[in-house]
Amino acid sequence: MIKVNRWFINTKITHAVYTSLRQISSLIDVAVLFSVVNLTVFDKHGFINEIFHLAKLIPFDDLINSVISGICFMLNTWIVLMLAYLVADHLSKQKGYYSGLVSAIATTIILFSAPVISMVDYGDLPEFMNLQGQFFSYILIAICVGWATSWLLNHWNQHQKLVLSVEIVIVTIFSLALSIIWPMWSQTNLLAVFLQLIPNHQSLWLLLGATLSGLFTSFGFASPISLNSSGTTDVAIRQNLSYVFMHHHLTGVPYPINVHAIFETYATTGGEGMLMAVVILCLVLSKDGYIKQQSRYSFLPSLFNTASPLTLTLPIILNPILVIPLVLSTFVSCVIPIILVKLSWLPTSVYPFPVTTPGFLKGFLGTNGNWLALVVGVVNLLISIWIYLPFVKASLKELSDLEVTK
Amino acid sequence: MNTKRIAKWGVCIIAVGFLTFFGATWQRKQVKDLKNEFPSELAPVFFVPGSSAGQNRFNLLFSKLNKDGHVHSVLKVKVSRDGHLTYTGKINKDDPSPFIVVAFQNNHDGYSNIKKQADWFSIAFDQLQKIYHFNHFSAVGHSNGGVILTLFLEKYLPKHVTINRLMTIASPFNLERRSTKKTQMLKDLIAGRKNLPKKMKVYSIAGTENYSGDGTVPFMSVDSGKYIFQDCVAGYTEVVVTGSGTFHSALPQNPQIVHMIEQYILKANIPSNVQRQNKMLPRIH
């Protein structure tokens, strides 16, 4: 495993991606800071906003929220374009800015053709490109475009104009085809669709979905289990709530196992993949200045479940060694509450809570103050730290070795 | 260095405790608010037949309502004299607005029987609510069925359940009396009107086959409903249906009344321009 990881990290493309991400890490940190403050304080459904009733205290909170959303949209767009530019630039054999520019132009076309074709309202654009939206999908697209552009220009350097024209045509056709075939491609909640088709054995399907979600997160895709549940899950939440309001207790709800009650409540501490465990481990274990600094910046976002940018700056995506603990910790964090709920020791998390609620508190709030749920939240975090520990250690060693060889 | 680290961890723990305390306080209030506002996914429509009619009274009406658009599942419940319930049919899992007919073994006329039937209806209602977990519903009552429902709403409706809309079809709120002199039943209904749900919308339909009524229930008796509902609920509308098919027993399947049930109770199959017209909203270009 270590050998595979070492080979992967030493490949030219991974090297180029890591270097590029480091170059734009300050931009990512600033974008995350704005996002976290906006999502927790100025958003009407943000955790801090809700618990301190800030909507009544802050004047023009809606306006502030939309202005910061706009800033985040611009910063996120810049991050994607810069990444496309830098990856192509690092991989290109030629000096100059041409390959970077071609890559950025092609990425711009992909980035904006989807909202243009699906006629997204101008005011909704920030939602299209925020941390809960398609930001991560576009990060992966930017890397692919950067790599493809450099490859084309490395092979046909004498036909630079032709390469630019061909690439524009190809990405336009690709974007059009994608929008037509699968218009809401990254907004589809695959698991909800799946659960609607198969109503039995919900626990097994949920675990499969959680495992898939971990895999998707590791490769930088938007998760198939969305943070905003819909479809069957939504019905399950409503039916459960209805039951609880009628019977005044949490036992015997019609849907004890659902995405909200298990995955959202217990397996997203810090962000999908129990990322708070990585932040804590990097804070404690890292001696490297850059990693230590990044984990410090990521602590606040991870407290409010928006540590996903950490997957870029540390880096976690495209780091094969971290795929195993990411998937395993998500899986275990789902298994523990499923077993306890099935044994009727733990009440199902029924009540809604803000997406930015600190991970370990979600169960406590979702059950309206059950102490065992709080214990499960904390235990899940501790077990995830234990699962991540050897892998993060190995990964940090690999990264510091990489620094030394450089 | 150590002191600094301990201080850092101390601050973190205090901050987490702080968030936990305020989070829990907020959630307790949030749950309370949700409880008052949250409508269940399931909102059944209850149908109560009049005297001498059984659980199949609305079969023709249901076949007309289910003809096009959403097909509503039908559950029929018969309440025996000792409160025992017999079920026929079922509620489909994906049906948000199923039809539930509640009929009575003792389906005789007269105020004393109506009082008993309202009590039996409450037994069926409580049982159904326990099984299907709904907290809001609509209801249609034909003839004495409308009176039974009104009595139920005044005396037996659980506090955490709300009724959205009630439609009474040819309901004799003043029994068979053709004058304005109030019967004991009407007096009791008026006395209990303050208990009616304030947010409910009521539609009272009268059939007039002749100048005085639908052949069985006098128009004046149906019209007496205004003393119960007017200025007491969110909306009270009286509609008089005339023409063919307006004799008492034909009213539930009268095409105009079927249309009104679709429009006001089911809120389905109505073109948006008609809905807008009904709400008297301006057209938005």
Side-chain angles (χ1 to χ4, degrees):
Chain A
M1 186 66 205
I2 299 265
K3 273 183 186 171
V4 174
N5 201 58
R6 189 165 294 165
W7 166 82
F8 186 80
I9 283 182
N10 282 313
T11 55
K12 216 175 164 191
I13 180 161
T14 316
H15 216 279
V17 172
Y18 284 4
T19 318
S20 309
L21 284 171
R22 278 203 177 200
Q23 281 175 294
I24 55 169
S25 63
S26 306
L27 189 58
I28 296 174
D29 292 336
V30 172
V32 172
L33 185 72
F34 272 101
S35 288
V36 171
V37 171
N38 206 23
L39 285 169
T40 52
V41 178
F42 295 109
D43 190 304
K44 273 203 164 56
H45 302 294
F47 180 68
I48 300 292
N49 190 305
E50 290 265 32
I51 66 167
F52 296 115
H53 310 286
L54 295 183
K56 287 178 192 162
L57 299 174
I58 303 174
F60 310 114
D61 56 327
D62 277 340
L63 183 69
I64 298 171
N65 181 283
S66 3
V67 170
I68 301 181
S69 296
I71 294 170
C72 292
F73 165 69
M74 285 185 274
L75 288 173
N76 290 339
T77 309
W78 266 104
I79 290 168
V80 173
L81 295 181
M82 288 286 284
L83 187 65
Y85 176 92
L86 289 170
V87 169
D89 194 47
H90 286 303
L91 290 171
S92 175
K93 284 175 189 162
Q94 281 73 43
K95 298 266 178 204
Y97 307 110
Y98 193 72
S99 53
L101 282 175
V102 174
S103 170
I105 290 167
T107 310
T108 312
I109 293 171
I110 300 181
L111 207 64
F112 289 102
S113 56
V116 168
I117 293 164
S118 47
M119 289 190 278
V120 170
D121 201 296
Y122 180 73
D124 293 339
L125 270 178
E127 276 181 33
F128 200 72
M129 193 59 181
N130 62 17
L131 295 179
Q132 271 98 35
Q134 303 175 23
F135 176 63
F136 283 95
S137 311
Y138 284 123
I139 286 285
L140 207 68
I141 286 174
I143 293 171
C144 295
V145 172
W147 170 77
T149 309
S150 63
W151 188 85
L152 285 171
L153 282 169
N154 285 345
H155 283 77
W156 290 286
N157 189 38
Q158 61 275 36
H159 307 294
Q160 287 190 345
K161 284 171 193 159
L162 184 71
V163 168
L164 174 62
S165 312
V166 168
E167 194 163 329
I168 287 175
V169 172
I170 291 172
V171 292
T172 308
I173 293 170
F174 169 76
S175 312
L176 281 171
L178 200 63
S179 305
I180 292 163
I181 298 166
W182 199 351
M184 303 296 282
W185 64 286
S186 57
Q187 289 164 14
T188 310
N189 186 342
L190 291 179
L191 189 75
V193 174
F194 203 57
L195 287 177
Q196 260 173 347
L197 298 174
I198 304 154
N200 299 322
H201 308 297
Q202 297 269 319
S203 318
L204 287 177
W205 294 117
L206 184 78
L207 286 174
L208 181 72
T211 312
L212 278 175
S213 165
L215 276 172
F216 272 82
T217 311
S218 321
F219 293 109
F221 276 114
S223 166
I225 302 182
S226 112
L227 280 174
N228 308 310
S229 342
S230 57
T232 309
T233 315
D234 203 26
V235 173
I237 293 171
R238 296 178 73 86
Q239 291 277 25
N240 282 355
L241 270 176
S242 169
Y243 176 92
V244 168
F245 289 147
M246 203 175 308
H247 294 84
H248 311 291
H249 58 79
L250 292 169
T251 44
V253 290
Y255 298 96
I257 310 290
N258 62 63
V259 176
H260 167 77
I262 304 296
F263 182 79
E264 282 176 14
T265 306
Y266 295 105
T268 53
T269 307
E272 283 175 34
M274 299 296 284
L275 291 176
M276 198 174 200
V278 188
V279 178
I280 292 171
L281 281 172
C282 287
L283 262 176
V284 177
L285 298 174
S286 163
K287 289 180 183 76
D288 172 77
Y290 171 77
I291 303 274
K292 188 121 187 152
Q293 196 186 36
Q294 283 309 320
S295 44
R296 264 189 203 140
Y297 288 145
S298 297
F299 187 75
L300 204 66
S302 80
L303 189 66
F304 299 111
N305 307 315
T306 39
S308 351
L310 179 79
T311 56
L312 303 174
T313 50
L314 267 184
I316 291 170
I317 60 161
L318 303 175
N319 196 350
I321 205 165
L322 289 181
V323 175
I324 301 167
L326 202 145
V327 173
L328 198 63
S329 61
T330 308
F331 184 83
V332 172
S333 302
C334 286
V335 168
I336 294 171
I338 284 179
I339 293 172
L340 292 174
V341 167
K342 289 247 172 195
L343 290 172
S344 303
W345 293 355
L346 178 71
T348 308
S349 160
V350 166
Y351 302 109
F353 42 72
V355 177
T356 44
T357 304
F360 47 85
L361 270 185
K362 282 180 176 178
F364 186 63
L365 298 191
T367 52
N368 197 14
N370 183 285
W371 289 99
L372 182 62
L374 181 65
V375 172
V376 173
V378 175
V379 166
N380 269 357
L381 180 63
L382 293 175
I383 292 178
S384 299
I385 291 175
W386 180 71
I387 293 171
Y388 268 110
L389 181 65
F391 297 92
V392 170
K393 258 185 184 172
S395 176
L396 288 176
K397 193 175 173 303
E398 284 296 305
L399 289 171
S400 66
D401 285 354
L402 197 71
E403 287 291 308
V404 172
T405 46
K406 259 168 61 186
Chain B
M1 186 63 195
N2 266 346
T3 329
K4 210 176 167 186
R5 188 170 264 193
I6 290 166
K8 263 186 191 174
W9 280 106
V11 168
C12 281
I13 290 165
I14 290 169
V16 166
F18 197 63
L19 288 179
T20 312
F21 173 74
F22 278 97
T25 315
W26 164 79
Q27 185 68 310
R28 236 170 274 143
K29 192 186 169 293
Q30 170 86 348
V31 168
K32 219 181 231 176
D33 293 348
L34 260 178
K35 207 183 244 179
N36 297 329
E37 294 162 12
F38 188 82
S40 57
E41 192 75 7
L42 189 77
V45 183
F46 282 89
F47 288 83
V48 182
S51 301
S52 311
Q55 58 179 18
N56 297 323
R57 179 70 187 81
F58 298 102
N59 282 3
L60 204 57
L61 168 68
F62 294 160
S63 64
K64 284 187 177 181
L65 289 174
N66 281 342
K67 212 171 185 179
D68 32 47
H70 177 72
V71 176
H72 300 263
S73 48
V74 180
L75 175 71
K76 291 170 184 170
V77 185
K78 192 172 180 178
V79 193
S80 67
R81 283 170 211 273
D82 61 356
H84 178 76
L85 308 178
T86 316
Y87 298 90
T88 320
K90 63 166 188 169
I91 291 179
N92 288 344
K93 211 178 173 187
D94 304 326
D95 187 1
S97 51
F99 296 154
I100 302 177
V101 183
V102 180
F104 311 99
Q105 188 187 18
N106 168 9
N107 57 2
H108 301 306
D109 201 0
Y111 185 34
S112 59
N113 284 320
I114 290 173
K115 276 199 272 192
K116 280 181 198 162
Q117 286 154 3
D119 184 27
W120 287 323
F121 181 84
S122 76
I123 294 171
F125 186 88
D126 289 348
Q127 195 60 38
L128 289 162
Q129 209 212 351
K130 268 178 199 152
I131 301 171
Y132 296 107
H133 320 299
F134 59 88
N135 62 4
H136 64 132
F137 68 100
S138 292
V140 176
H142 175 231
S143 190
N144 277 347
V147 184
I148 294 165
L149 282 167
T150 310
L151 210 52
F152 163 77
L153 293 172
E154 286 185 355
K155 283 179 75 177
Y156 303 99
L157 184 73
K159 270 191 181 152
H160 59 279
V161 184
T162 52
I163 177 165
N164 305 324
R165 294 173 291 276
L166 168 72
M167 184 178 277
T168 59
I169 304 168
S171 294
F173 294 106
N174 203 16
L175 295 173
E176 280 85 34
R177 204 160 276 186
R178 287 168 199 277
S179 66
T180 48
K181 199 179 171 204
K182 296 180 177 80
T183 56
Q184 188 54 45
M185 185 178 86
L186 182 59
K187 281 178 191 165
D188 288 352
L189 285 169
I190 294 169
R193 72 200 289 254
K194 59 182 183 301
N195 299 327
L196 287 169
K198 302 286 173 284
K199 287 181 181 174
M200 164 176 70
K201 284 184 180 167
V202 180
Y203 302 92
S204 172
I205 297 167
T208 49
E209 195 197 22
N210 49 45
Y211 290 126
S212 62
D214 58 15
T216 307
V217 173
F219 172 72
M220 283 191 88
S221 180
V222 178
D223 188 45
S224 305
K226 65 189 175 194
Y227 300 119
I228 305 164
F229 298 109
Q230 208 163 304
D231 295 331
C232 192
V233 293
Y236 172 66
T237 311
E238 246 186 80
V239 182
V240 180
V241 180
T242 57
S244 63
T246 50
F247 57 95
H248 189 69
S249 58
L251 285 171
Q253 53 275 6
N254 178 296
Q256 274 176 296
I257 294 176
V258 173
H259 189 66
M260 274 189 269
I261 293 175
E262 281 178 339
Q263 192 168 350
Y264 298 121
I265 301 294
L266 306 177
K267 303 234 165 199
N269 303 327
I270 309 298
S272 58
N273 58 339
V274 177
Q275 278 189 15
R276 210 180 297 121
Q277 209 177 353
N278 291 339
K279 285 181 191 165
M280 294 177 72
L281 289 175
R283 183 184 288 273
I284 299 161
H285 290 284

